[in-house]
Amino acid sequence: MATPLNRLGLAVSRHSKYIQYRRRPWLSLSSRRSFHPNPLYRAPRDDDDDEGPRRASKEPYSFKYEELDSESRHHYDLLSPEEKLQFQKDEKAAYEHFSSPALESELQGMVSQAVYDIHQETPREREPPERITPGLMAMGEVDEQGSGEDDEFDGDDITSIAHGELEQHREIREYARIAAWEMPMLSKLAKPFELPSTDKPLRFRYTTYMGETHPAAKKVVLEFCTHDLPNLTEAQRIKLVKLVGVRYNPETDLVKMSCEMFETQAQNKRYLGDLVDTLMAEAKDATDMFEDVPLDFRHYKSKPKFEFPEKWKLTEQRKAQLEANWRQRALKEQEREETGQLVDGPKLIEQVLEAMSMRAPAPPTMPPPRGKGRQRQLAR
C-alpha cells in the first residue's frame, strides 16, 4: 500500500506543470537591438491595461483520472477508496501550494539572487587606460602642453623626386645587406661541376630577369647533337636531320629549338621533351626513310672566320729581334748626346727667353690723333 509520501510525490510530479512561467524582463532585448533614432516600445498585449499586466486567472482544481500517466494510474488503482480520497485531497493541496503567488515570488527571488551572486563572483576584465604616446617633438620629455601623438603621416614632407631617391637608397642598402649576410651562406650549397653524361644529350637553357616580369622569361631553348642521341643508326640520324629542317646546323651538328607558347618554363620544357620523343619515334619508323629527299643546307650561311697572321705572332725569335733593335737605337741616342747633336728642348727655350730679356725696350709709340687734331697735324 502506498504511503502518504508516495502520494505527495505523485501529486508534486503531476501538478508541477501548473507553475506559472514568468517571462524575462522585456528590456533585455534592447542590448541586441541595432542603433535607431526612434525609441524602443513594447508591442501591447491583450492582457495589458492601464494598471499594468494582470496575472492569468487561476483555474479551479478538478481531479481527472485521464490526466494521470501510466505509473500514477497503477499506483492509484492499488489504493483503497479512503486512500483514493486522501490522494485527491493531497493533489489539490499540492496544486494550490505550487500555484500560489507567494511561492512563485519566492522562487523568482532565489533565482535572481543566485544570478546576482554569480555575476558578482565573476571577475570583470578591465580595459587598460588608453596610452597616448608622445610625438616626435615631445619624445623623452614631459608633454606639458598635452599635444599627444603626431598627425598621421601622408608622405607630403618632401617632394616625390626626393622620395624616389630615398627609395633607391633603401634598395641599394637592401642589396648590400644581402651581399654581406646572405650571399656568403650560399657557399654551403655549392656543388662541384660535373660534365653531363652520355645518357643526358639534351641541354636546356633558361632566361631569368631577377624577379622582374618579362615576356621572354617563359622561353626555353633546347640544343642537342644528333650523334649523341642513343640507339640511332646512320640512316635514322639522317632522317632526323631531314625532319628538323632549318633547325639543324651542319657545321656544329647541333639541333636548336625553342618554345614560349605556354605560361611557365616547366610547360615549355615538357613540350620540347615530348617533341624530341616524337622526332625519335618518327626517325625509327622504317615505313618511309625519306631516301628520295636530299639533304638541304641552303638555310645555313657559313660565316668567315678571321685568323691572326702568323707573322704578327710574338715568337721567341721575334722577341730577340725586337730587343736587338731597341739596343741599337739606345746606342745611337747616346752617341748623338755625346757629340752635341741631340737637341735639349727645355734648355733651348731657357736660352731664347734669356736673350729676349737682354734686349733694350723700344720707345712706346703714340697712336695718331683722330678728328680735328689729325687735321691740324696734317696742316703743319
Side-chain angles (χ1 to χ4, degrees):
M1 185 176 291
T3 60
L5 184 58
N6 293 337
R7 293 196 302 270
L8 181 61
L10 291 173
V12 170
S13 63
R14 179 187 174 192
H15 294 285
S16 59
K17 59 183 179 180
Y18 295 108
I19 298 177
Q20 296 285 340
Y21 172 72
R22 186 170 183 179
R23 297 177 178 268
R24 293 183 179 181
W26 186 83
L27 294 177
S28 62
L29 298 175
S30 61
S31 60
R32 298 191 299 270
R33 182 175 179 266
S34 60
F35 175 77
H36 198 274
N38 297 330
L40 188 65
Y41 297 101
R42 181 170 60 89
R45 296 186 301 178
D46 297 337
D47 56 349
D48 291 346
D49 53 6
D50 297 339
E51 298 179 358
R54 297 177 300 176
R55 292 183 177 274
S57 59
K58 183 178 178 181
E59 298 179 359
Y61 172 76
S62 61
F63 177 76
K64 295 180 180 180
Y65 181 79
E66 295 79 9
E67 294 182 358
L68 298 177
D69 54 1
S70 58
E71 185 178 358
S72 301
R73 289 179 182 180
H74 177 70
H75 285 284
Y76 186 79
D77 294 338
L78 297 176
L79 298 177
S80 61
E82 295 79 5
E83 291 177 344
K84 290 181 179 180
L85 293 175
Q86 186 64 29
F87 179 80
Q88 295 177 7
K89 292 180 180 180
D90 295 340
E91 269 198 340
K92 183 178 180 180
Y95 173 79
E96 293 177 353
H97 174 71
F98 284 105
S99 301
S100 60
L103 179 61
E104 181 182 356
S105 300
E106 183 180 357
L107 293 176
Q108 186 65 30
M110 294 173 62
V111 172
S112 301
Q113 184 64 29
V115 172
Y116 177 78
D117 295 341
I118 294 174
H119 182 71
Q120 293 295 328
E121 293 176 0
T122 303
R124 300 180 181 179
E125 297 181 359
R126 296 183 179 180
E127 297 182 358
E130 184 179 359
R131 182 179 180 182
I132 302 176
T133 57
L136 180 63
M137 304 303 296
M139 189 175 296
E141 300 179 358
V142 179
D143 191 3
E144 298 178 354
Q145 299 179 356
S147 58
E149 299 185 26
D150 296 337
D151 297 335
E152 186 176 357
F153 178 67
D154 295 331
D156 54 353
D157 55 340
I158 55 179
T159 61
S160 58
I161 299 177
H163 275 292
E165 293 290 338
L166 285 176
E167 187 66 26
Q168 183 180 5
H169 183 70
R170 296 189 188 100
E171 186 177 0
I172 293 174
R173 288 175 64 89
E174 181 182 1
Y175 283 115
R177 287 191 294 269
I178 292 175
W181 301 103
E182 297 184 15
M183 285 188 176
M185 301 177 63
L186 297 178
S187 60
K188 300 178 181 178
L189 306 177
K191 296 181 181 179
F193 175 73
E194 297 180 358
L195 292 174
S197 57
T198 56
D199 57 344
K200 297 179 181 179
L202 303 182
R203 294 186 295 273
F204 294 93
R205 189 183 68 194
Y206 310 93
T207 305
T208 178
Y209 292 87
M210 302 299 293
E212 296 184 4
T213 303
H214 197 276
K218 60 184 179 180
K219 183 178 180 180
V220 180
V221 181
L222 169 64
E223 291 183 354
F224 62 90
C225 182
T226 58
H227 286 88
D228 294 340
L229 295 178
N231 303 326
L232 278 183
T233 61
E234 184 63 20
Q236 294 174 353
R237 189 188 70 84
I238 294 175
K239 182 180 178 181
L240 178 64
V241 171
K242 295 177 182 179
L243 289 173
V244 296
V246 297
R247 296 173 179 83
Y248 178 72
N249 187 347
E251 185 176 354
T252 58
D253 191 32
L254 288 177
V255 178
K256 184 177 180 181
M257 297 183 295
S258 63
C259 179
E260 52 182 342
M261 295 189 301
F262 304 100
E263 294 296 329
T264 60
Q265 292 180 348
Q267 291 174 320
N268 293 320
K269 180 181 178 181
R270 179 63 179 272
Y271 174 78
L272 292 174
D274 295 342
L275 185 59
V276 172
D277 294 340
T278 305
L279 290 173
M280 292 280 291
E282 290 293 334
K284 294 179 181 180
D285 188 6
T287 55
D288 188 2
M289 297 302 293
F290 296 167
E291 296 177 352
D292 55 339
V293 179
L295 292 172
D296 187 6
F297 299 143
R298 288 177 297 176
H299 63 277
Y300 177 73
K301 304 297 181 182
S302 180
K303 297 180 181 179
K305 295 182 179 179
F306 302 98
E307 296 181 358
F308 198 79
E310 292 291 337
K311 295 181 180 180
W312 294 1
K313 293 182 179 179
L314 195 62
T315 60
E316 296 295 335
Q317 183 180 0
R318 182 63 177 169
K319 288 181 181 180
Q321 183 180 359
L322 291 174
E323 290 178 359
N325 294 338
W326 292 338
R327 284 195 297 268
Q328 292 178 4
R329 187 179 301 176
L331 290 175
K332 289 181 180 180
E333 293 290 336
Q334 188 177 1
E335 291 177 358
R336 293 175 62 185
E337 185 178 359
E338 291 176 356
T339 58
Q341 297 179 0
L342 186 64
V343 178
D344 191 358
K347 187 175 181 181
L348 181 61
I349 293 174
E350 291 179 359
Q351 292 176 1
V352 172
L353 293 176
E354 185 178 357
M356 291 176 62
S357 62
M358 292 176 64
R359 294 178 183 179
T365 57
M366 296 296 293
R370 297 181 180 180
K372 296 180 179 181
R374 180 175 179 80
Q375 295 175 2
R376 293 174 185 174
Q377 186 176 4
L378 292 176
R380 294 176 183 176

